[in-house]
Amino acid sequence: MAQWTIQQYLMKGDIALDATCGNGHDTLFLAQTVGENGHVFAFDIQEAACKSTKSLLQENAISDNVSIFNQSHDSLLQYIPPKFHKNIVAIMFNLGYLPQSDKTVRTSAVTTCAALEQSCILLKKGGIITIAVYVGHDGGKQEMDAIQSFVKHLPTQDFAIAHLSYPYTSFPAPELYIIHKRGT
Ligand SMILES: C[S@@+](CC[C@H](N)C(=O)[O-])C[C@H]1O[C@@H](n2cnc3c(N)ncnc32)[C@H](O)[C@@H]1O
């Protein structure tokens, strides 16, 4: 659903950001969507995740239009060159931990909210941020509460917020928040 939503906004030649690249599936999707004239920035705190993303991109013959940073996403403004600030059309957060990996290395409320604050600055008018948040693991509910509080306090004249959940599942399904920056 996050990828489908982004497809409605992101075009060839645009700039995108994957704030949690993990095994690279979302980075690959973003890179294929923006094409060779666009650019994708990808962040992950785990070296193994960055390597995995790089391999997936290579397998798909993509290298030139993606910059991977083995850094925490609470330093987005520091690593993304100023000329791209306010120019990023789509930003994806797929929170939690790297599948089949150490579950204690996962996103957290404090760094996620710091990254979201920076993302709101990096985002181009008319662009969107998608946040997939998992409540089933330790700290997941706390992270979702922090996100909810963050989006609630965004100025409504500048941002529109959507929240999608799947309430009728037997296990806690991920929830999706979408932040749209108003304007053109
Ligand atoms: C659910 S996975 C992401 C899946 C990925 N989008 C994909 O398509 O394969 C979450 C990732 O967030 C990363 N992560 C955790 N804390 C982070 C942080 N502070 N900054 C950047 N990445 C972080 C984890 O290392 C993990 O790889």
Side-chain angles (χ1 to χ4, degrees):
M1 186 55 77
Q3 290 191 355
W4 182 87
T5 306
I6 282 179
Q7 271 170 337
Q8 317 309 308
Y9 292 82
L10 194 63
M11 304 290 159
K12 294 271 180 234
D14 282 344
I15 313 295
L17 162 64
D18 186 350
T20 53
C21 65
N23 287 322
H25 301 288
D26 292 322
T27 304
L28 175 64
F29 155 74
L30 293 169
Q32 287 173 333
T33 306
V34 300
E36 57 192 21
N37 295 325
H39 201 86
V40 179
F41 296 100
F43 283 71
D44 204 291
I45 42 164
Q46 296 194 70
E47 198 181 349
C50 294
K51 281 188 177 159
S52 181
T53 296
K54 200 172 173 186
S55 302
L56 185 68
L57 295 172
Q58 277 168 352
E59 279 165 31
N60 287 274
I62 288 176
S63 57
D64 291 351
N65 67 343
V66 181
S67 305
I68 303 173
F69 297 92
N70 183 192
Q71 298 292 340
S72 172
H73 48 213
D74 63 350
S75 54
L76 293 174
L77 283 174
Q78 190 185 331
Y79 288 96
I80 296 178
K83 70 171 180 174
F84 296 105
H85 295 188
K86 300 191 188 300
N87 206 17
I88 300 185
V89 174
I91 303 178
M92 290 188 89
F93 287 80
N94 188 347
L95 300 173
Y97 53 83
L98 190 63
Q100 280 89 53
S101 180
D102 181 354
K103 292 185 181 173
T104 62
V105 184
R106 55 177 186 255
T107 55
S108 71
V110 172
T111 45
T112 297
C113 287
L116 285 173
E117 205 162 323
Q118 295 176 35
S119 295
C120 287
I121 296 169
L122 290 165
L123 197 63
K124 188 176 179 172
K125 281 185 179 173
I128 57 160
I129 302 171
T130 61
I131 311 153
V133 53
Y134 301 79
V135 287
H137 60 253
D138 282 352
K141 174 77 172 66
Q142 188 194 9
E143 190 172 28
M144 193 171 87
D145 289 346
I147 292 165
Q148 218 151 26
S149 164
F150 175 85
V151 296
K152 242 191 236 171
H153 289 96
L154 286 172
T156 52
Q157 70 273 20
D158 297 326
F159 296 95
I161 314 299
H163 176 192
L164 180 80
S165 64
Y166 295 88
Y168 308 113
T169 54
S170 52
F171 53 90
E175 308 215 359
L176 181 67
Y177 289 84
I178 299 165
I179 301 173
H180 168 71
K181 195 173 195 173
R182 297 183 195 276
T184 47

